[in-house]
Amino acid sequence: MNKKILLIVRRTSGEIDWILPLLHKLKNKYEILTVFESYNIFYDLKRNAQLYKLWGDVSEKFYIRKFYDNFFLRFFLVFVNKFFNSYIKNFEYFVYKKIFIDKILLSKLNTNNIDEIKFLFHDSGGFTGWINLFKKLDKKIIYYPHSTIKYSEVRDHAKNLYGDLMIVGTDDEKKMWSKFFKGQVINSGHLKYSSAWLRKFNPKEKNNFNKTIIVLPMKDWINDSEKKKIRFILSDVFEILNENSDKIVLYIKLSRKNYYSNYFFLLPILKKYKFTHFFKKESLLSLAKISNLFLVFNDSSVAFDALANKVIPIELWNKIPQISSTKKYTFQVHNKLDFNEILLNYFNNKLENSFKKKYNVFLKDYVKKISYKKIIDFF
């Protein structure tokens, strides 16, 4: 196939999670090449067997960039940019061509000609040299979110993104981006929550425990203070779960970036308790199909993964209060007593009516706006 899409995965597999439904629609028209900006990102994807297989169905050719790839060329570019900024534009294309076209696209991905690449897909959260190169080559640049979380503002570093299409998941994000982005902005809704896509995440197992299955998607921490906060929260949560150990099973999904740090962080804490728990590698969309409750941290998109499968999300409290953009969709608990109460209410079937209201708001905001048509027409 001589028409190609180049997908850059910059930070986490969440980027693939968001854009993959669209790529499945385009795979018969374009060959899709993937470049992972590091091994960590690739292994993050590979741990998620279902998502990894779905990505493999659309992208047979891929390359994982290594730290030492073109190290001296990259160092030289940084040096010139810092000390000879006025000359950088004349020099930059030569370096990017050497690094990205000659060493990756032509050599590693066996592309016959750069003209075969019609579109660059890149998340809207940050810059890479690919953007500068494709602008210079006058290629179409497509941006998309890396998460279903609804951000209230465009960060300063992203206000100067240049390209042809910005795909977003909500009307609010469309209005926000339209103020800064010079290209076309399309609200597709969050495609991963379409019924056809959700059917691709059938679980490998059933709930054979005859107990309430609770899923805990772990989060990354940015410093020791936040790590300590998470430890306090989970200690309180685990105490309540332990008091109900005859009724519950806990599935733990480790975070993307700090996967092993999460694991070794949790081990000594979990040893204190007798409730049944398992570490799971399946997709959260799959785990939601065999679970009853999700425990989510503040402002986490995993609340929507739960809701998409009609699973109740309980949003855990913070020792350092923050504004939550997900609070109208979740059951918020502010301390250990709150969590105990909401769990008892669940066991006593007292959450059903409240959950229906939250689920209907989620449908209105996140599901009813889903549409491929405007995006497909662009291609």
Side-chain angles (χ1 to χ4, degrees), residues 175-238:
K175 291 176 185 176
M176 182 176 66
W177 274 108
S178 295
K179 296 175 184 176
F180 307 102
F181 189 67
K182 298 295 190 293
Q184 187 176 359
V185 182
I186 294 178
N187 172 20
S188 67
H190 292 292
L191 303 175
K192 65 180 283 190
Y193 297 139
S194 65
S195 56
W197 190 250
L198 290 175
R199 283 196 293 270
K200 296 180 183 294
F201 290 86
N202 290 324
K204 295 180 180 179
E205 59 186 74
K206 296 181 180 179
N207 181 353
N208 295 318
F209 294 102
N210 198 27
K211 293 182 179 182
T212 295
I213 291 187
I214 301 174
V215 176
L216 171 65
M218 279 295 292
K219 67 171 289 183
D220 297 309
W221 48 80
I222 58 175
N223 53 41
D224 287 340
S225 176
E226 187 176 26
K227 184 178 179 181
K228 184 182 291 186
K229 177 182 70 174
I230 292 170
R231 182 182 288 110
F232 283 137
I233 292 171
L234 290 182
S235 294
D236 284 347
V237 167
F238 290 166

Side-chain angles (χ1 to χ4, degrees), residues 297-314:
F297 288 95
N298 184 75
D299 243 11
S300 172
S301 63
V302 299
F304 304 135
D305 290 355
L307 284 159
N309 289 282
K310 298 184 179 179
V311 172
I312 296 172
I314 300 174

